[in-house]
Amino acid sequence: MKKIFITNPENTTALIARLALGIVLFAHGAQKLFGWFGGYGFSGTMGFLTGAVGLPYIIALLVILIEFFGALFLIAGFATRIAALGIIGNFIGVVLSTHLNNGFFMNWAAQANKGEGLEYFILLFGLALIALISGGGKASVDAAIAGHSKTGKHQKQFAG
């Protein structure tokens, strides 16, 4: 199990990718879970996802939890690969169920009957893949769990 936390503690690219993705997703997860940043909160989001979108209750719950807690895990660099995998799975579902046929571009002009395109999701998947492949990187809980020292070398455990 400890292998999943192994990461290069000097990898700044991993740090940047997980922070960028975590910060953006945190706002979306907080909208869904708590109603922060103009969101509808847990009950409003569950009503939308199970009613209008037609998701089963457990899948709707997972969407909310993955977006909020997955973002927090990424920001901290804790279980980075698990969080990234959950986020990738979550957003594959989002793209396939809602955004696949909306073209490439975001709907900046708020055109009626036109949903959001794929450009946001391409960036999201790119950052999530970096996190999945490289782990938490620099300044991550993963590096501490894996036993990395500040020099980037794995610390040996000495008994007594």
Side-chain angles (χ1 to χ4, degrees):
M1 179 68 165
K2 194 173 182 180
K3 287 183 180 182
I4 202 158
F5 296 102
I6 293 174
T7 187
N8 176 354
E10 300 302 317
N11 188 338
T12 305
T13 302
L15 168 67
I16 293 167
R18 71 177 168 80
L19 286 179
L21 182 57
I23 290 166
V24 169
L25 283 183
F26 175 78
H28 289 274
Q31 285 179 316
K32 290 174 177 68
L33 187 59
F34 298 118
W36 298 351
F37 310 112
Y40 296 104
F42 183 79
S43 60
T45 302
M46 286 297 288
F48 173 75
L49 292 176
T50 58
V53 178
L55 295 178
Y57 181 88
I58 189 68
I59 300 298
L61 178 63
L62 285 172
V63 166
I64 295 169
L65 296 177
I66 287 169
E67 286 190 34
F68 184 76
F69 290 104
L72 288 179
F73 281 22
L74 286 177
I75 291 167
F78 173 69
T80 303
R81 288 186 174 96
I82 295 169
L85 188 61
I87 288 163
I88 289 168
N90 180 63
F91 283 98
I92 285 173
V94 169
V95 167
L96 292 177
S97 68
T98 309
H99 297 276
L100 190 59
N101 297 318
N102 293 340
F104 179 77
F105 295 102
M106 298 293 290
N107 188 4
W108 294 105
Q111 298 170 355
N113 299 323
K114 184 177 182 237
E116 302 294 345
L118 299 176
E119 65 181 328
Y120 167 79
F121 301 102
I122 292 169
L123 294 171
L124 181 145
F125 287 129
L127 292 171
L129 283 171
I130 291 169
L132 181 65
I133 292 166
S134 62
K138 190 171 193 144
S140 68
V141 174
D142 289 352
I145 290 171
H148 291 291
S149 68
K150 290 183 181 177
T151 63
K153 299 188 189 244
H154 190 72
Q155 291 179 352
K156 294 183 180 177
Q157 300 291 330
F158 295 101

